[in-house]
Amino acid sequence: MRGMRTSENERLFHAARALLPGGVSSPVRAFGSVGGTPRFLVKGRGSRVWDADGNEYVDYVGSWGPLILGHAHPEVVRAVQETAAQGLSFGAPHPLEVALAEAVRRVYPVLERLRFVNSGTEATMSALRVARGFTGRDHVLKFRGNYHGHADGLLVEAGSGALTFGRPSSAGVPEAYAGLTLVGSYNDPEALEAVFAHHGENIAAVIFEPVVGNAGVIPPKPEFLAALRRLTREYGALLIADEVMTGFRLAPGGATERYGLEPDLVTLGKILGGGLPAAAYGGRAEVMAQVAPEGPVYQAGTLSGNPLAMAAGLATLQALEREPGIYDRLEAYGARLQAGLAEVLTAAGVPHTINRVGSMLTVFFTEGPVGGFEAASKTDTAAFRRFFHALLEGGVYWPPSAYEAAFVSAAHGDEDLERTLAAARRAFA
Ligand code: PMP
């Protein structure tokens, strides 16, 4: 596929840049860290996507996680079409909200009650508000390298050391606000102990990614998970598992099921909306009783629980429920992809560590092991760029950043794997 035609993508990107910051509606899409022209994707079927020039790719982005069934799954598309024909939005309760909430509860018993919102950002932001309302405390703890959306209080990261008061990682976030966010070190139970010893009485909630996907894939250490639960209970803080990425992906009941977690609150998104904007936060009934109109914590949304998003999410969860073997297939493809890429990189003498949990995978271009944010940040970004562009040229759409997870869908199969490995071989030939 060398010399692939991209003139229409280039024309569109030129026009887009004049109107949209970076030419995009969300930063990573701009190919800023890998260079080159972003592809304007106009069609998807199963594991494949097509760009505005008609080039076809094996897709490992899957809209950044939602498309666990692959693109344009017939049942999901039909559900959306049938629902749309009845009207797009009412701003009133809808039967599909009840159906989707019930489907969520079947696989996530910890979500005794939940509230639908439109994005993962809203879900985490609202979950923290509820935790603050419930506990009457102001501080929250997050971990360096974990991403929970772009709400002000969550766009903070640590300086050096195990813990600092959060500093904004974006202009426009007031220091005073970021100062209410403590930042800890992921996978470090001793550091966590120290944070709680100093600040435990003031911490309303700890929010964490149960498998990190946003610094590349980093699996959790069991001791870390255990310490999170023990210390939050001991100090009366709520534990919020941010499963926006892992929910319904790592098991029907996400990381909560896979690792036997007992969070007080869970945030969901991505797969929950089946490719349309839907997310949710929920958990213990007494905590969710804080939410308006039942309780004093206000949170609302014009399009929340939108019937189209509920329909897409419900059709997706029903397909997963009907065919539990999907999770074995995701695991099997993920394992073959991991082994195949490792073989290619080893043969080429390229230092690498491939972290994978189920259908989430990251190739770190470093010896590893990669068990935390520090190690992840050692990845050789130049090697990643080479890998990324060889894949793109070879008809494989890999996430355009060294610190993202690649997502496998139920639609990926043998031909996809062959094409992926052939392209990877050319990267370091
Ligand atoms: N939490 C996690 C763990 C995420 O991965 C993301 C998005 N990648 C978010 C929250 C934010 O979700 P959204 O982009 O829908 O606002």
Side-chain angles (χ1 to χ4, degrees), residues 102-124:
E102 284 169 352
V104 171
R105 267 220 51 181
R106 282 199 288 279
V107 289
Y108 270 99
V110 296
L111 271 83
E112 291 171 347
R113 305 182 78 198
L114 67 151
R115 164 64 57 84
F116 289 114
V117 292
N118 304 292
S119 68
T121 293
E122 276 182 76
T124 56

Side-chain angles (χ1 to χ4, degrees), residues 119-122 124 147-150 209 214 242 244-245 270:
S119 68
T121 293
E122 276 182 76
T124 56
Y147 178 71
H148 304 289
H150 64 86
E209 287 186 69
N214 288 293
D242 182 358
V244 167
M245 190 181 284
K270 298 191 191 267

Side-chain angles (χ1 to χ4, degrees), residues 187 189 219-229 259 261:
N187 264 345
K221 290 187 183 147
E223 317 85 86
F224 179 65
L225 295 176
L228 276 171
R229 186 60 281 187
Y259 297 101
L261 306 177

Side-chain angles (χ1 to χ4, degrees), residues 85-106:
Q86 302 301 317
L88 299 182
S89 184
F90 303 103
H94 193 278
L96 286 169
E97 293 170 79
V98 183
L100 183 56
E102 284 169 352
V104 171
R105 267 220 51 181
R106 282 199 288 279

